[in-house]
Amino acid sequence: MKTTVDSGDEDLTEGYEEEQGTDPTVADTDEDGLDDPTEVERVTDATVADIDGDGIEDGTEVSLGTDPLDSDTDGDNLVDGAEVNNKGALPGADPLQMDIFLEIDYMNDYSIPDTELSKIKDEFRTASVTNPDGSNGINLHVTRDNKVSYESVLSDDEWSNIKSNDFDHHGEGYHYVVLMNHTTLPAQPDDNRDLYDGSGGNGFITVTGTADDLRIGTVFMHELGHSLGLSPNIYRGIDSTQISFTNYHSVMSYNTPYDYYGYSGSESQFSDWDYLEENLYTPSTVNLNNSS
Ligand SMILES: [Ca+2]
Ligand SMILES: [Ca+2]
Ligand SMILES: [Ca+2]
Ligand SMILES: [Ca+2]
C-alpha cells in the first residue's frame, strides 16, 4: 500500500498527487487560490491557474461567482476576463449578466432622441432572458461618439472608409451604428428601392433620418436586431410579410405597426429573445486585452 503521508494539504495522498502532477508539499500547487483537493473535486486542474484561459484565475472566479470552466459565463460572447478587468473598454460590463455595447456616430447633427434610446434600452432590460446571477434582461450600453463626414450618397467605399476611420471601438466587441441624414444607401441587388430607412448586418447598422422620431426608434430597433443575428436566414417571418403580426409579434416583421419596438417572446411562433439568449452575435474582441 502507498504511504498516506500528506505533507502539504489535508486529504490527498502523495501517491495521488504524483499521478495528478501536483506538489505534495504545498496545498495550492498552481497558486490560484483554490487548494488542490478543491480543484480535484471541481475538476478545474490543480496545476493550471486559469484553466479556461479567460484571464481570471480559478480561485478568483469562484469568489466572483463566475464559472472557472467557462470563459464566458453569461454567454454574451464577451469573455469573463474582459468584462471584469477591462472596464476602460467595457464600462459597466457584468460577467454574470448579458451585455451589449454599441457605438453611435452620426452625420450632420442628426441624432436619435434620448427618449427613443430609453425605450429601446427598456426593451432589453425587461427581456425574457435569464442571467447566471438569476436576474432577467440584457444591459444595452450606448456610447454616442463623433460626427462623421456627410455624404449625400454613400458608396460602398465611403462606408468602408467610415468604418475604418471613425469606428473607435472596433475590435472591442461593439456593434457600430451610423445615423445618416437623408443619405441614399447603395441599392441592394434584390431590391429596387433606392432610399432606405436603414440597413443592418452582423455588427454594423445604419439608420436614416427620413421620418419622425418614433420611426427612427423603431427602425433603430429593427436594424439592431439584424446586427445581433436576427436575419431572414434563421426565420422566414423576419424582413417579410409571410407571418402575421399576431403569430410573430416582432419589430423584425414587415407586418409590424409603425410604432412597435418589441422583439418576440415565447407567445410567438418564433421567439427572438430565445434565439438571442442562445446565439447572440457579438463582434470580434480581437483588440481587447482580457487582463489589463
Ligand atoms: Ca490551485
Ligand atoms: Ca479563468
Ligand atoms: Ca460574458
Ligand atoms: Ca456580461
Side-chain angles (χ1 to χ4, degrees):
M1 226 178 124
K2 274 264 182 197
T3 172
T4 54
V5 172
D6 176 21
S7 49
D9 28 59
E10 300 73 30
D11 50 8
L12 294 184
T13 64
E14 291 195 9
Y16 187 79
E17 298 231 346
E18 262 169 44
E19 276 170 36
Q20 296 291 310
T22 54
D23 182 346
T25 66
V26 297
D28 177 8
T29 300
D30 58 7
E31 299 182 336
D32 65 357
L34 288 188
D35 61 21
D36 296 345
T38 305
E39 300 229 44
V40 169
E41 191 184 319
R42 298 187 66 111
V43 209
T44 46
D45 195 332
T47 63
V48 181
D50 175 14
I51 185 64
D52 61 5
D54 65 0
I56 312 178
E57 294 191 349
D58 301 345
T60 309
E61 295 226 45
V62 169
S63 14
L64 289 171
T66 55
D67 184 347
L69 293 168
D70 184 349
S71 61
D72 177 21
T73 301
D74 57 12
D76 59 9
N77 294 316
L78 299 168
V79 301
D80 293 343
E83 296 210 53
V84 171
N85 296 322
N86 206 328
K87 297 297 187 196
L90 301 173
D94 186 324
L96 298 175
Q97 294 181 0
M98 291 184 82
D99 295 283
I100 295 170
F101 286 83
L102 310 181
E103 173 180 332
I104 300 181
D105 284 343
Y106 54 93
M107 291 182 176
N108 285 346
D109 290 314
Y110 174 50
S111 181
I112 180 168
D114 285 337
T115 49
E116 295 304 303
L117 270 186
S118 296
K119 289 181 202 169
I120 292 168
K121 286 184 181 179
D122 282 347
E123 291 291 333
F124 282 84
R125 193 177 299 121
T126 58
S128 56
V129 164
T130 306
N131 291 303
D133 67 359
S135 66
N136 291 313
I138 300 177
N139 307 309
L140 184 68
H141 307 265
V142 177
T143 300
R144 288 182 190 272
D145 200 42
N146 62 288
K147 186 186 287 194
V148 301
S149 63
Y150 174 68
E151 302 290 349
S152 60
V153 177
L154 190 76
S155 70
D156 286 342
D157 279 352
E158 287 158 344
W159 180 215
S160 299
N161 285 341
I162 288 173
K163 284 190 276 193
S164 53
N165 296 332
D166 296 285
F167 185 15
D168 300 289
H169 290 284
H170 179 72
E172 294 177 349
Y174 279 61
H175 297 257
Y176 186 44
V177 184
V178 178
L179 302 175
M180 300 190 169
N181 186 291
H182 298 291
T183 293
T184 304
L185 299 173
Q188 303 297 308
D190 56 348
D191 194 329
N192 293 323
R193 291 178 302 172
D194 60 0
L195 188 65
Y196 288 79
D197 285 344
S199 163
N202 281 356
F204 298 103
I205 73 174
T206 61
V207 179
T208 66
T210 52
D212 61 49
D213 287 353
L214 187 63
R215 183 63 186 156
I216 292 165
T218 55
V219 169
F220 192 109
M221 190 72 179
H222 175 98
E223 302 305 345
L224 180 56
H226 286 319
S227 194
L228 301 173
L230 296 171
S231 84
N233 299 333
I234 58 154
Y235 180 58
R236 65 193 176 96
I238 295 175
D239 280 358
S240 101
T241 54
Q242 286 182 56
I243 310 292
S244 70
F245 182 59
T246 309
N247 288 330
Y248 180 43
H249 214 68
S250 169
V251 69
M252 302 310 292
S253 165
Y254 285 162
N255 292 322
T256 302
Y258 182 85
D259 58 352
Y260 187 74
Y261 288 80
Y263 295 146
S264 65
S266 53
E267 76 291 347
S268 287
Q269 283 180 4
F270 177 84
S271 168
D272 296 334
W273 287 121
D274 285 357
Y275 181 83
L276 294 175
E277 185 169 10
E278 295 303 318
N279 305 283
L280 179 71
Y281 175 77
T282 300
S284 160
T285 55
V286 67
N287 296 337
L288 271 188
N289 182 338
N290 296 348
S291 52
S292 68

